[in-house]
């Protein structure tokens, strides 16, 4: 019996977050998920990823 696909955020949850917790607005898993999705739709720079993410809010 095939297993269900794992949500992409679950892939990143186990990663250690080196950022300072009091300066973090979004979880590392959320940030990486948005970055990967932005790249998959054709974004090539951080600015393009940010623009794509803001369109999807």
């Amino acid at each position: 019996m095939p297993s269900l696909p794992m949500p992409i955020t679950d892939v990143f949850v186990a990663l250690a977050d080196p950022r300072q917790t009091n300066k973090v607005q979004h979880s590392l898993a959320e940030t990486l998920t948005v970055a990967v999705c932005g790249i998959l739709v054709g974004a090539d720079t951080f600015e393009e990823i940010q623009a794509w993410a803001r369109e999807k809010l």
Side-chain angles (χ1 to χ4, degrees), residues 7-32:
I8 191 168
T9 53
D10 289 356
V11 174
F12 300 122
V13 170
L15 294 175
D17 191 346
R19 303 175 297 169
Q20 296 176 355
T21 55
N22 60 336
K23 295 182 179 180
V24 173
Q25 188 174 14
H26 301 284
S27 75
L28 183 62
E30 290 174 347
T31 303
L32 293 173

